[in-house]
Amino acid sequence: MKSKTNIFVLMLLAVITCIILFPVYTVLLNSFKTRSEMLVSFLAFPKEFTFDNYIITIQKLKYVSRFFNTLIVTVLSVTGIVFFSALAGYKIARTQSRLSKVLYLLFTLSMLIPFHSIMISLTQISKIVGVRNSLWGLSIINIGLGVNLAIFLFTGFSKSIPKELEEAAAIDGCNEFQVFRYIAMPLLKPIAATVAIIDVLWIWNDLLLPLLMLTSSKDFTLVLGINQFFGLYNSDWTLALAGLILTSIPAIMFYLVFQKYIIKGIASGAVKE
Amino acid sequence: MKLHKTKTLVLFSLPAFILYFVFMVLPAISAFIYSFTDWNALYKDFSFVGFDNYVEAFFDRNFIGTLSLSFRYVITMVLIQNALGLTIAVLIDSMKRQSIWRTLVFIPNMISLITSAFIWKFIYTKVFPEISAITGIGIFGESWLGDATLAFWAVTIVSVWVGVGYTMIIYLAALQNVPVVLKEAAIIDGASNLQTFINITYAITINVFLTLNGSFKAFDQFLGLTGGGPGRSTQVITLNIYNEAFAGNFRFGYGNAKAVILFLIVLIITLIQFRVMRTENS
């Protein structure tokens, strides 16, 4: 009985998957066509593959520099979020006082605030503080916005790791920071990986905050780059399509490499009970 | 000893707290305060106007339209994304080689929303007309981004395309959390599997609220695909706030009042979520 249903199920699933992948496939296919060939048909297979679109687009999109801009912002932001939140979350979990409870609430309650509710005033404050129009400025704003969820996760996780080692290390003469650095940090690694992955995905693909903060084209991230590029070349589909593929590749590669952790993170974050 | 503990707690929390305070707490407080002013970025002076902005929002036809559109979009998303996500999860769950299917279905989730919007713009404006010419199916020949009703669906399709993989993974995990022994026992007994049922109800609750919350904040796909058009027909609340403050009007006071209204809506949804999950857990 089971094998019969399987064929039907398999076909249904195959059709759904094909529909889901169809847009990416079509964009990929056409990105290798010459303009004249594209005018004939968008669905036909290219008669000859050309890489010209990619070569031109890599230059016009300033792909390499924008890739590194995105990388800089992502690395700075994620390192900051993970390190600062590990420090705070771990200590909040280890301290039993009114202050630690207040801090925990203060840090985590803001998870209820949508970014769009604070974007107007955040833009104003960033102008006043002088962090607009720079990659490091964008990074520290990302840290400020990202610590709430990270501290929530670090605090929860720290409560589950045993205290005995830390107490032994303290008796042996380690100071508070050394205990954190050499005893707690290695134990916090699993949750640090989860936090890092969540934040890489968010920051790498973020549009709105960079759109509000970066006005000079030389600072643009990949997402801002494609946004501007598409506005300029949206009648020239040969270049636009290559640009879309180039912009999507890094995130898809990241997914394929860290797939196991990403899937586990999503599943465990939600299905905890 | 206690003083020392407080000191280290403060020291350890300080780096995170400073950035958090400046870029999260301060903007939140000032959004609230400025929502009671007539602050316009084009003028230097502003004064407090009480609840005028909120009253204006309440009678602002465009804003009410925007709100009702957002609600319509959110409900549509919850229904379609969950129905489809659950269906795909059930299909994948019955497969032998699950990971390959899961990987393929999840790929769109990794593409940024603005890129996804542009990919689909190509599909709607170039590929759909060709499909219509070949197959003769009329719906593909329509102007998907030029017609108000179709534009709404055009954006919804992109959102589902990106989001369904995430929903599917949560459902798949819920299905697989059931020990195989139980599953087989249930099949043999012909009885309904209680554990599966409990897991799935829990996953549905989670997914419904995730989609609810996420869809209210949807922005990129609307900006990239329709820009709120044609006319104002796809201008959701986030886009409306953005336009109020950054595209032409510069009415920061009024924009902030709308921002606070968005916060209150999301807050209410979350409070309902907590209540529902608490009763479900007990």
Side-chain angles (χ1 to χ4, degrees):
Chain A
M1 185 193 99
K2 217 176 171 196
S3 65
K4 257 188 195 165
T5 51
N6 261 349
I7 289 170
F8 174 70
V9 168
L10 183 73
M11 271 169 54
L12 189 60
L13 188 55
V15 169
I16 292 175
T17 310
C18 284
I19 293 173
I20 289 176
L21 294 179
F22 173 74
V24 179
Y25 163 80
T26 315
V27 168
L28 189 67
L29 199 71
N30 284 285
S31 68
F32 291 111
K33 285 182 190 169
T34 59
R35 188 165 309 147
S36 55
E37 208 177 328
M38 207 187 275
L39 284 176
V40 177
S41 164
F42 292 103
L43 290 166
F45 210 73
K47 289 197 186 69
E48 49 175 332
F49 281 81
T50 167
F51 284 91
D52 289 357
N53 302 330
Y54 282 89
I55 294 164
I56 299 169
T57 305
I58 284 175
Q59 278 180 355
K60 289 211 167 159
L61 193 58
K62 302 196 185 81
Y63 186 71
V64 179
S65 88
R66 274 164 191 169
F67 177 87
F68 281 106
N69 286 346
T70 318
L71 192 67
I72 290 168
V73 172
T74 307
V75 169
L76 284 180
S77 310
V78 173
T79 313
I81 292 172
V82 169
F83 188 65
F84 292 165
S85 307
L87 273 172
Y90 160 77
K91 227 13 172 198
I92 287 170
R94 282 291 181 269
T95 316
Q96 243 105 52
S97 67
R98 197 173 295 159
L99 180 65
S100 73
K101 282 198 192 89
V102 170
L103 274 176
Y104 181 69
L105 275 181
L106 191 59
F107 272 126
T108 52
L109 273 180
S110 68
M111 294 195 314
L112 294 173
I113 303 175
F115 174 75
H116 309 85
S117 291
I118 63 164
M119 68 181 170
I120 300 172
S121 38
L122 177 63
T123 311
Q124 292 304 308
I125 286 170
S126 307
K127 273 186 199 158
I128 296 166
V129 182
V131 293
R132 233 166 142 242
N133 288 317
S134 74
L135 294 175
W136 69 266
L138 175 60
S139 306
I140 67 166
I141 299 172
N142 274 329
I143 300 174
L145 296 175
V147 291
N148 53 7
L149 175 66
I151 288 178
F152 174 75
L153 293 172
F154 272 111
T155 309
F157 191 84
S158 300
K159 281 181 179 151
S160 72
I161 60 176
K163 284 185 204 159
E164 285 74 16
L165 268 172
E166 294 161 32
E167 284 161 0
I171 290 166
D172 286 347
C174 286
N175 67 31
E176 302 266 1
F177 187 75
Q178 286 168 326
V179 171
F180 171 76
R181 170 71 190 81
Y182 296 107
I183 311 294
M185 245 169 75
L187 293 173
L188 291 173
K189 258 187 200 157
I191 195 69
T194 306
V195 171
I197 281 173
I198 294 173
D199 290 336
V200 167
L201 296 178
W202 156 46
I203 291 163
W204 188 276
N205 282 337
D206 193 18
L207 170 75
L208 190 46
L209 183 65
L211 190 65
L212 296 171
M213 292 303 151
L214 305 175
T215 50
S216 148
S217 155
K218 72 168 177 20
D219 293 329
F220 275 13
T221 58
L222 280 175
V223 168
L224 281 189
I226 195 70
N227 188 38
Q228 182 200 43
F229 188 77
F230 206 81
L232 294 175
Y233 294 96
N234 84 36
S235 52
D236 187 351
W237 282 101
T238 49
L239 299 188
L241 296 180
L244 293 176
I245 295 293
L246 285 167
T247 313
S248 310
I249 285 174
I252 291 178
M253 295 296 277
F254 181 82
Y255 164 60
L256 293 178
V257 173
F258 292 103
Q259 179 173 190
K260 226 173 88 187
Y261 302 96
I262 295 172
I263 304 265
K264 224 166 77 186
I266 296 172
S268 72
V271 197
K272 248 190 274 181
E273 295 302 313
Chain B
M1 185 64 195
K2 214 186 153 202
L3 190 72
H4 173 73
K5 278 214 146 179
T6 308
K7 241 171 72 185
T8 44
L9 176 62
V10 169
L11 218 60
F12 272 58
S13 309
L14 205 58
F17 190 78
I18 292 170
L19 296 179
Y20 174 71
F21 186 81
V22 176
F23 299 119
M24 178 65 99
V25 179
L26 221 51
I29 295 171
S30 65
F32 186 71
I33 294 173
Y34 282 117
S35 73
F36 297 101
T37 70
D38 60 2
W39 183 23
N40 186 311
L42 300 176
Y43 307 101
K44 234 181 172 181
D45 295 326
F46 62 88
S47 49
F48 281 88
V49 293
F51 281 91
D52 281 8
N53 289 326
Y54 292 92
V55 174
E56 186 182 341
F58 193 76
F59 290 107
D60 181 341
R61 258 233 214 112
N62 288 332
F63 184 65
I64 297 298
T66 273
L67 264 183
S68 84
L69 169 72
S70 273
F71 275 103
R72 215 156 21 100
Y73 167 74
V74 166
I75 292 167
T76 314
M77 280 299 293
V78 167
L79 293 177
I80 297 183
Q81 183 151 303
N82 280 283
L84 205 58
L86 184 56
T87 309
I88 297 174
V90 170
L91 294 180
I92 293 180
D93 188 45
S94 68
M95 290 287 122
K96 273 210 185 85
R97 307 193 55 191
Q98 297 178 357
S99 63
I100 181 86
W101 294 105
R102 204 182 51 192
T103 303
L104 291 174
V105 173
F106 192 71
I107 280 179
N109 200 270
M110 286 295 108
I111 301 173
S112 70
L113 276 162
I114 191 83
T115 312
S116 306
F118 293 152
I119 287 175
W120 277 90
K121 200 169 199 172
F122 172 69
I123 302 292
Y124 291 136
T125 58
K126 298 289 159 187
V127 182
F128 269 22
E130 195 174 324
I131 295 178
S132 158
I134 293 171
T135 62
I137 300 174
I139 189 76
F140 289 114
E142 304 285 333
S143 166
W144 276 72
L145 301 178
D147 173 84
T149 311
L150 283 175
F152 173 83
W153 287 104
V155 181
T156 306
I157 289 171
V158 176
S159 306
V160 171
W161 186 68
V162 173
V164 75
Y166 199 98
T167 313
M168 174 271 294
I169 284 179
I170 293 174
Y171 282 129
L172 195 58
L175 288 167
Q176 292 174 340
N177 240 9
V178 185
V180 180
V181 185
L182 261 183
K183 247 190 209 173
E184 279 167 1
I187 292 165
I188 294 163
D189 292 351
S192 67
N193 192 325
L194 189 65
Q195 187 62 42
T196 314
F197 181 72
I198 292 171
N199 273 349
I200 291 292
T201 1
Y202 188 71
I204 289 176
T205 316
I206 290 208
N207 268 329
V208 164
F209 282 106
L210 271 178
T211 320
L212 261 177
N213 261 317
S215 303
F216 256 109
K217 301 175 201 163
F219 175 86
D220 301 15
Q221 58 269 55
F222 284 93
L223 185 75
L225 210 52
T226 65
R232 283 172 178 269
S233 60
T234 58
Q235 195 188 62
V236 275
I237 182 163
T238 52
L239 206 55
N240 183 279
I241 295 173
Y242 179 85
N243 286 342
E244 192 66 62
F246 301 111
N249 284 346
F250 303 110
R251 290 183 63 192
F252 285 1
Y254 188 35
N256 273 323
K258 292 174 174 179
V260 172
I261 293 171
L262 171 65
F263 164 70
L264 291 175
I265 293 170
V266 173
L267 180 71
I268 291 167
I269 294 173
T270 315
L271 291 178
I272 297 172
Q273 174 181 8
F274 285 160
R275 166 144 300 183
V276 170
M277 305 234 309
R278 190 166 300 161
T279 43
E280 232 171 63
N281 276 349
S282 57

